[in-house]
Amino acid sequence: MAAAILLATSMVVAAAPAATAATAQTHRLGPLLADAVAELPVADERREGYQRTAFRHWIDADRDGCNTRAEVLLEEAIEPPAVGERCSLTGGSWYSYYDDQTVNVASGLDVDHLVPLAEAWDSGAYDWTSDQRRDYANDLDESWHLVAVTARSNRSKADQDPATWQPPYEPARCRYAAEWTAVKMRWSLSIDTAEQQALTALGEACPDQRLPEVGDQM
């Protein structure tokens, strides 16, 4: 517990500096991070029964030949890739905001569930239908639900929450906390005590950070 709190509170991160074109958030803004965190329900996590296959992905919901992963890569590209047969992507470039890296090949990227599948399960998805879990795993309705990042940063994160992992690029942590909280709100997921403490500390460190506007809750 002490280590988890230390990770969140040891940062000297004011609200992120003025964003560049690569880091700018283009979505509408919602409530302040600190206020939103205070509204999240707090509950113990439940990992029993979790299997990654319970969240079917990646699907091609609109049947255009590109699955969810490819749709995210196309949407988030700084320089658009060429799209070939079976939605193969060639060229292009992407900005990984977790670690402030530019990536010039699609295979160097993971498409991350910002709130990991296992974390979603622990926080309430264990009680969802299979269709709800599929929809969560492939949610393209909000741009902050799925994010293209370097494989290294995504795999260092794994299924951790902000109590034990935050982006290695410190100026990204305010945004990350806001988007994490927005996913939890949109999908009516709970937070555990350590997660609450870490997010509360981030809300204090990022006093001007607002959530992206959360649409209809799922």
Side-chain angles (χ1 to χ4, degrees):
M1 178 70 70
I5 298 171
L6 177 63
L7 176 61
T9 58
S10 64
M11 305 177 308
V12 183
V13 183
T20 64
T23 61
Q25 292 168 267
T26 59
H27 42 60
R28 298 179 301 276
L29 296 179
L32 287 169
L33 171 60
D35 294 340
V37 170
E39 294 297 320
L40 292 174
V42 180
D44 291 337
E45 292 188 343
R46 172 177 156 180
R47 178 60 61 95
E48 294 83 2
Y50 169 70
Q51 293 183 339
R52 188 172 175 82
T53 54
F55 295 80
R56 186 164 70 90
H57 65 291
W58 304 110
I59 64 171
D60 180 6
D62 59 6
R63 299 184 181 181
D64 67 349
C66 295
N67 65 17
T68 303
R69 170 186 158 81
E71 298 281 10
V72 172
L73 293 177
L74 290 168
E75 177 66 25
E76 296 190 4
I78 300 169
E79 297 180 8
V83 182
E85 187 177 357
R86 298 183 180 179
C87 203
S88 62
L89 305 182
T90 305
S93 66
W94 292 263
Y95 178 74
S96 170
Y97 90 86
Y98 287 1
D99 49 2
D100 192 32
Q101 298 292 313
T102 299
V103 179
N104 296 313
V105 57
S107 61
L109 294 157
D110 283 353
V111 170
D112 182 35
H113 294 90
L114 194 123
V115 173
L117 302 181
E119 170 69 23
W121 176 276
D122 296 349
S123 306
Y126 58 80
D127 204 31
W128 292 352
T129 66
S130 58
D131 284 351
Q132 287 174 304
R133 289 193 286 266
R134 177 205 62 210
D135 292 346
Y136 179 88
N138 298 277
D139 185 3
L140 293 170
D141 290 337
E142 302 292 357
S143 62
W144 30 268
H145 184 89
L146 295 165
V147 57
V149 295
T150 61
R152 175 182 295 180
S153 65
N154 183 44
R155 292 168 197 182
S156 73
K157 173 190 171 188
D159 60 3
Q160 298 178 83
D161 70 30
T164 54
W165 189 92
Q166 292 164 26
Y169 182 52
E170 288 192 7
R173 293 180 183 178
C174 295
R175 172 184 171 183
Y176 181 75
E179 294 182 345
W180 179 282
T181 302
V183 173
K184 289 268 175 152
M185 289 183 65
R186 173 169 159 76
W187 288 89
S188 300
L189 296 170
S190 63
I191 55 175
D192 64 23
T193 301
E195 185 182 352
Q196 180 191 43
Q197 291 173 336
L199 289 170
T200 298
L202 283 161
E204 293 171 353
C206 310
D208 298 323
Q209 179 68 49
R210 290 185 175 273
L211 267 64
E213 186 175 66
V214 178
D216 294 338
Q217 292 191 336
M218 306 302 289

